[in-house]
Amino acid sequence: MSEAESSESESETGAQLFGVWSVDDIEFRDPSTERYITVTPIAHTMGRHAEKQFKKSDISIVERLINRLMQTDENTGKKQQTTRIVREAFEIVHDRTEDNPVQILVRAVENSAPREETVRLKYGGISVPKAVDVAPQRRVDQALKFIAEGVYNSSFKTTTDAAEALAQQLVGAANNDVQTYSVSQKEEKERVAAAAR
């Protein structure tokens, strides 16, 4: 190992997300999604993952959340603003739970990821719903989508600011609270799939 490589690996282990939150010792409860939830101290890779279809799993789950929150008409391209919102939300989460907010985010994604959904099959011109298992990567994608939708719904044209809304979504989803938008969406998808079995 060269001198540059050794110093780089040392700096990676001591690095912290936003200069505050440690990304070491993150506990995963769901073995299927663990491979697709990457936790790194970097919150902005400048699109280096975009060359290949499945490279998105290699970037930080925090950056993927930031990118997901930007996917609305009002916030498209406002990465610095969205990063600030996520940083503030992490501080609120830490104040409420006394836990590492990165751990709370991982737990929220695991609890919001649907295990089953429905597809439409055509039998002689008749469309029939059929329950199917969800691939682990799609589970993570869906969880991030539900969290971002929940933040948008609870903060757009209301007195609740986006950081507060995100903190509520993360804490609620981490506690598996059915009142939280992301968990309720997951339950709804699984309920529809159970009916279509």
Side-chain angles (χ1 to χ4, degrees), residues 114-178:
R115 294 174 289 254
E116 247 187 336
E117 62 184 352
T118 54
V119 294
R120 296 219 162 267
L121 299 177
K122 286 242 180 183
Y123 289 120
I126 301 167
S127 185
V128 180
K130 178 87 169 82
V132 293
D133 292 338
V134 184
Q137 188 166 37
R138 180 166 167 79
R139 290 184 64 202
V140 174
D141 294 346
Q142 292 277 295
L144 291 170
K145 175 187 168 204
F146 294 154
I147 291 169
E149 282 176 0
V151 172
Y152 181 76
N153 292 342
S154 57
S155 66
F156 186 62
K157 292 192 176 174
T158 66
T159 55
T160 309
D161 70 334
E164 176 64 32
L166 178 57
Q168 288 172 1
Q169 286 293 318
L170 292 178
V171 172
N175 294 332
N176 219 359
D177 180 9
V178 186

Side-chain angles (χ1 to χ4, degrees):
M1 183 184 283
S2 72
E3 216 171 86
E5 286 174 342
S6 65
S7 66
E8 190 178 300
S9 64
E10 283 171 30
S11 65
E12 279 178 11
T13 55
Q16 295 177 316
L17 181 68
F18 299 134
V20 182
W21 314 113
S22 170
V23 293
D24 302 328
D25 307 322
I26 298 296
E27 178 187 316
F28 295 91
R29 292 181 177 171
D30 188 346
S32 68
T33 57
E34 181 177 350
R35 179 177 164 208
Y36 300 96
I37 299 176
T38 304
V39 182
T40 65
I42 296 149
H44 187 36
T45 58
M46 292 174 264
R48 273 183 236 123
H49 64 285
E51 307 95 42
K52 294 203 177 121
Q53 184 178 359
F54 298 109
K55 282 286 188 179
K56 61 185 173 185
S57 296
D58 294 341
I59 65 169
S60 170
I61 193 73
V62 178
E63 184 176 5
R64 292 190 66 194
L65 175 66
I66 291 168
N67 293 343
R68 217 11 154 152
L69 290 169
M70 286 195 302
Q71 291 180 353
T72 59
D73 293 342
E74 295 78 21
N75 298 327
T76 303
K78 298 182 181 175
K79 188 141 191 180
Q80 285 185 331
Q81 178 182 325
T82 313
T83 304
R84 180 182 49 76
I85 288 168
V86 170
R87 186 184 296 129
E88 288 171 9
F90 275 17
E91 286 165 12
I92 295 168
V93 166
H94 179 68
D95 291 342
R96 287 193 189 155
T97 62
E98 297 296 319
D99 271 341
N100 185 345
V102 182
Q103 178 67 67
I104 297 292
L105 171 61
V106 168
R107 200 155 295 146
V109 168
E110 289 175 342
N111 290 342
S112 304
R115 294 174 289 254
E116 247 187 336
E117 62 184 352
T118 54
V119 294
R120 296 219 162 267
L121 299 177
K122 286 242 180 183
Y123 289 120
I126 301 167
S127 185
V128 180
K130 178 87 169 82
V132 293
D133 292 338
V134 184
Q137 188 166 37
R138 180 166 167 79
R139 290 184 64 202
V140 174
D141 294 346
Q142 292 277 295
L144 291 170
K145 175 187 168 204
F146 294 154
I147 291 169
E149 282 176 0
V151 172
Y152 181 76
N153 292 342
S154 57
S155 66
F156 186 62
K157 292 192 176 174
T158 66
T159 55
T160 309
D161 70 334
E164 176 64 32
L166 178 57
Q168 288 172 1
Q169 286 293 318
L170 292 178
V171 172
N175 294 332
N176 219 359
D177 180 9
V178 186
Q179 301 298 317
T180 307
Y181 180 86
S182 55
V183 178
S184 68
Q185 286 295 105
K186 170 202 147 181
E187 297 287 336
E188 173 70 13
K189 265 191 181 285
E190 291 182 350
R191 189 180 58 72
V192 171
R197 260 191 219 133

